[in-house]
Amino acid sequence: MVAGICAGAVAAAVLAAGTGGAHGYWMRTDARFAPPSALVPSAAVTYDMALVPAAAWIEVSQRTEESGATTVKLRVDGLKPGHEYGVHVHQKPCAADPAAAGGHYQHEKGTDEAHVNAANEVWLDFTADDHGAGAASARHDWGFRQGEASSVVIHDMPGTHGTRVACFTVPFGWTAGTS
Ligand SMILES: [Cu+2]
């Protein structure tokens, strides 16, 4: 019974969503982190309870304009005060295995420095304030391809070399004509 109520709350956490296309796309979703072993699964999974405690909060929003230009915003609360986190949009949904989220979403695919950067990927690095809250925003003149952006992964340090400490499965919308 409790599980049923909470599942409904998770579904309702997506406040508004449209389809990709000429009118753009807007989406905002939030959740509280839970470990993969939680009886009631969450779309937000923590792998490191010291850096991302259970019940810490995350919100992700996406606004894609008619041009395809896309802004992704992140807000968090309840994290470790003063800690610097690295955050990226990843390709696949979260699971109990931190590796399940796959690699970073990339506008143009490549593994060299020309491709692995905040201009070609969506980076949302932030430093938690004295109360454990944080925020970040990234805007690009491109949007996502269908099925290739599925989560936001939090790492234990900024940049691309951090360990994955949490993951939030997000219903990102795609830009029509790019799939
Ligand atoms: Cu990442």
Side-chain angles (χ1 to χ4, degrees):
M1 197 59 208
V2 171
I5 292 167
C6 291
V10 170
V14 179
L15 296 177
T19 55
H23 302 294
Y25 178 89
W26 184 84
M27 174 280 301
R28 178 160 59 94
T29 183
D30 75 328
R32 297 212 173 257
F33 286 98
S37 59
L39 286 174
V40 180
S42 173
V45 181
T46 174
Y47 308 117
D48 183 332
M49 302 272 274
L51 290 178
V52 181
W57 176 81
I58 183 169
E59 177 190 78
V60 173
S61 66
Q62 173 193 1
R63 178 177 293 280
T64 296
E65 301 160 23
E66 290 187 33
S67 67
T70 296
T71 302
V72 178
K73 291 183 179 178
L74 169 75
R75 290 201 299 155
V76 295
D77 200 5
L79 302 192
K80 184 179 178 183
H83 191 82
E84 295 180 50
Y85 295 86
V87 183
H88 321 105
V89 172
H90 280 241
Q91 296 173 1
K92 297 176 182 172
C94 314
D97 179 357
H104 296 172
Y105 182 86
Q106 294 189 308
H107 180 55
E108 294 177 352
K109 295 180 183 179
T111 57
D112 59 350
E113 285 183 8
H115 294 89
V116 182
N117 57 59
N120 191 51
E121 303 178 345
V122 179
W123 292 18
L124 295 159
D125 296 7
F126 67 92
T127 301
D129 69 14
D130 291 346
H131 305 287
S137 177
R139 186 181 189 279
H140 297 86
D141 60 9
W142 38 262
F144 296 121
R145 293 178 297 273
Q146 183 175 2
E148 294 189 38
S150 305
S151 60
V152 169
V153 175
I154 302 179
H155 302 254
D156 65 348
M157 65 173 72
T160 61
H161 298 294
T163 298
R164 302 178 185 202
V165 295
C167 181
F168 183 29
T169 299
V170 173
F172 287 115
W174 58 89
T175 305
T178 60
S179 59

